[in-house]
Amino acid sequence: MGNRVFNFSAGPAVLPLPVLEKAQQEMLDFQGCGMSVMEMSHRSKPFEGVLAKADQGLRNLLGISEDYAVLFLQGGASMQFAMVPMNLYEEGKPVDVIHTGAWTKKAIEEIQNLASMRYAANMAPEKYMRLPKAEELDFNPDASYVHMCSNNTIFGTQWRWYPDTGQVPLVADMSSDILSHPVDVSKFGLIFAGAQKNAGPAGVTIVIIRKDLAERVKATVPTMLRYKIHIENNSLYNTPPCYPIYIVSLVTEWLEGLGGLQAMEKINQDKAKILYDAIDTTDFYYCPVNKEDRSTMNVVFRIQGNNEELEAQFIKEATQTGLSGLKGHRSVGGLRASIYNAHPVEGVQALASFMKDFEKKNG
Ligand code: PMP
C-alpha cells in the first residue's frame, strides 16, 4: 500500500484500492487496445463496453428496472439542482421540498429561479440536527415533485427510510450515500448523485430517472439540459466523461465482488458504530446530531465546549499520523470523518484509537 494515508475527505474521496490498481494496470493499454480509456473514441466498441458495464453494474446493484434510464452526465450534482426543475416542473404545481441542510438550500435556490415551491418540511429552525418524522411531512398531492437529500454531507444526517409521496414523483439527491446500502429505486421518480464520494471520481453525475418523467420537458429547455435527449442517445449525445465512467464501472465490479449493497451496508454500519461509540463513551467529544438520524457516511463531531483551538490541534496531529481530511465543512466547523464505502475499517479503528490518545493528553 506504500504511503497511502487514511483518507476521511468528504469528496472527492477515497476510492477502493483494487479499483485504483486495476485502473493502473489498464492505464496504458486497455484490454489490448493499445491505448488508455482516456484516449479512445467515445463511439468505439471498447468504450461502448465500458459504458454498458457501468450501466449494468448500477442496474444489478440497485435492482433498477427497464422503466428507468441510467444516465452519466456532467455538471455535478449542482447542475441537477437546476436540471430537475427545468425538466420536471409543471406550471401551477409547486415543488415540495424537504429542507434538511446546505444541499437542499442550494436546490431551493435553483427551484425558486425556475418554478414555485413550498416546504414539505423545514428543518432550518433546528439547525438541521435532525430529520423530520413521517408525521411532520406535509405533502401537497398536487406537487410537480418532491425534492429531498438522502444524506446531508455537511450536517451528518442520513435518512433510514424514504417518504411515501403517492403519485407525486420523489426526487432524491443521493450524492453522498448512493451505493452505501440497498435502495428500492421504484419508490423514486429520479435519483441523482455526483460520483465523487461513493461511486467514482469527480466529473460524472449519475442520474437514474423513470423514463416517462423525461417526457414532461418543454421545447424551450436547452438541448444539453434535457434528460430526454440523454436517454435517447444513451448518454452519448456529446462526449461523456469517459474516464470517470470507466472508474464507476470498476467500482460497481468491486461492490459486486464484496457481495453487493447488503454486504456493503453491514460494513458501513459496523464502521460507523466504531466511531459513534468512540464519541459517545466519553464527555470529551460529542456528536450534535440526533441519534436516530446519524449518518453512516459522514460522522460529524466536536470537542466539548466547541473548543476550536483544540479542534485545530486535533486535525493537525491527526494529519501527522496519517489521518487526513478530518476538518468539518467550512460553513459549520468542528470535525467530520467521512467514511464512504471505500474507507477501510482499519482507518476507522486508527481514528478511534487516535481519539482516545488525544483525549488522554488533552482531556
Ligand atoms: N449534494 C450533496 C449531498 C453533496 O454532498 C454535494 C457535494 N458535496 C453536492 C450536492 C454538490 O455536488 P457537486 O460538487 O458534484 O456539484
Side-chain angles (χ1 to χ4, degrees):
M1 242 231 272
N3 52 1
R4 282 176 63 79
V5 296
F6 288 126
N7 180 359
F8 294 91
S9 167
V14 58
L15 282 161
L17 192 60
V19 165
L20 295 177
E21 285 168 343
K22 179 106 189 260
Q24 182 182 41
Q25 244 173 45
E26 295 184 327
M27 172 65 87
L28 300 185
D29 180 9
F30 176 70
Q31 296 179 359
C33 297
M35 61 178 86
S36 81
V37 174
M38 278 180 275
E39 299 168 294
M40 63 181 56
S41 165
H42 57 295
R43 308 210 182 270
S44 64
K45 271 265 170 295
F47 186 73
E48 255 176 38
V50 168
L51 188 61
K53 186 171 148 183
D55 175 285
Q56 197 56 52
L58 291 171
R59 285 184 187 278
N60 292 348
L61 289 166
L62 287 161
I64 304 171
S65 80
E66 284 305 319
D67 294 340
Y68 289 77
V70 176
L71 303 175
F72 299 96
L73 306 181
Q74 303 192 53
S78 300
M79 173 91 103
Q80 294 308 307
F81 295 155
M83 207 164 153
V84 173
M86 277 179 171
N87 283 262
L88 300 193
Y89 177 61
E90 294 175 308
E91 214 57 56
K93 299 174 78 176
V95 177
D96 262 356
V97 178
I98 308 175
H99 181 32
T100 53
W103 295 112
T104 51
K105 182 155 191 298
K106 286 261 166 81
I108 286 168
E109 285 161 15
E110 298 293 343
I111 292 166
Q112 284 177 331
N113 277 336
L114 296 155
S116 61
M117 64 146 283
R118 62 184 281 284
Y119 290 104
N122 180 4
M123 305 314 283
E126 292 182 56
K127 302 210 162 29
Y128 312 116
M129 286 299 113
R130 71 173 185 93
L131 295 172
K133 296 193 187 334
E135 61 272 19
E136 293 175 293
L137 295 171
D138 167 30
F139 291 125
N140 166 13
D142 214 24
S144 288
Y145 64 91
V146 176
H147 178 98
M148 70 173 290
C149 178
S150 59
N151 183 78
N152 296 282
T153 326
I154 295 176
F155 296 98
T157 58
Q158 182 180 29
W159 290 77
R160 301 255 124 66
W161 57 283
Y162 298 113
D164 179 2
T165 54
Q167 290 305 304
V168 178
L170 179 59
V171 172
D173 173 2
M174 292 197 182
S175 294
S176 51
D177 72 347
I178 193 164
L179 301 179
S180 71
H181 60 94
V183 167
D184 179 359
V185 170
S186 72
K187 290 211 157 75
F188 295 86
L190 189 152
I191 292 168
F192 66 87
Q196 66 270 20
K197 298 161 199 302
N198 253 341
V204 63
T205 307
I206 296 165
V207 174
I208 301 163
I209 176 174
R210 219 177 67 208
K211 288 176 190 163
D212 62 293
L213 294 175
E215 300 299 326
R216 286 189 186 180
V217 72
K218 292 190 199 69
T220 49
V221 171
T223 314
M224 271 296 284
L225 300 177
R226 285 184 231 155
Y227 295 120
K228 192 169 152 62
I229 284 285
H230 294 292
I231 294 172
E232 285 166 1
N233 291 277
N234 188 29
S235 301
L236 292 169
Y237 173 73
N238 72 327
T239 318
C242 300
Y243 202 75
I245 293 172
Y246 160 66
I247 301 290
V248 170
S249 78
L250 298 184
V251 168
T252 62
E253 187 177 60
W254 173 76
L255 280 165
E256 279 181 42
L258 277 186
L261 298 191
Q262 232 150 9
M264 192 68 252
E265 178 178 41
K266 171 82 174 73
I267 295 169
N268 285 330
Q269 285 168 345
D270 292 347
K271 283 191 296 184
K273 185 171 184 318
I274 294 172
L275 285 189
Y276 287 119
D277 282 351
I279 295 164
D280 289 340
T281 49
T282 154
D283 287 336
F284 185 71
Y285 302 102
Y286 77 98
C287 170
V289 180
N290 184 34
K291 261 196 177 151
E292 290 154 40
D293 302 323
R294 290 174 173 183
S295 171
T296 58
M297 299 281 98
N298 309 98
V299 178
V300 167
F301 61 109
R302 300 216 59 160
I303 293 178
Q304 280 300 347
N306 299 343
N307 186 333
E308 286 176 21
E309 212 174 297
L310 211 47
E311 286 171 348
Q313 193 184 324
F314 180 102
I315 292 160
K316 188 166 159 224
E317 288 181 21
T319 309
Q320 284 162 354
T321 63
L323 306 171
S324 158
L326 288 162
K327 202 168 187 304
H329 190 267
R330 57 195 145 81
S331 62
V332 293
L335 305 160
R336 173 177 56 173
S338 296
I339 49 170
Y340 300 117
N341 286 353
H343 193 98
V345 67
E346 291 79 12
V348 172
Q349 286 160 343
L351 174 57
S353 139
F354 173 83
M355 287 167 70
K356 266 208 182 106
D357 291 346
F358 189 83
E359 179 184 351
K360 252 188 220 141
K361 280 191 276 166
N362 300 284

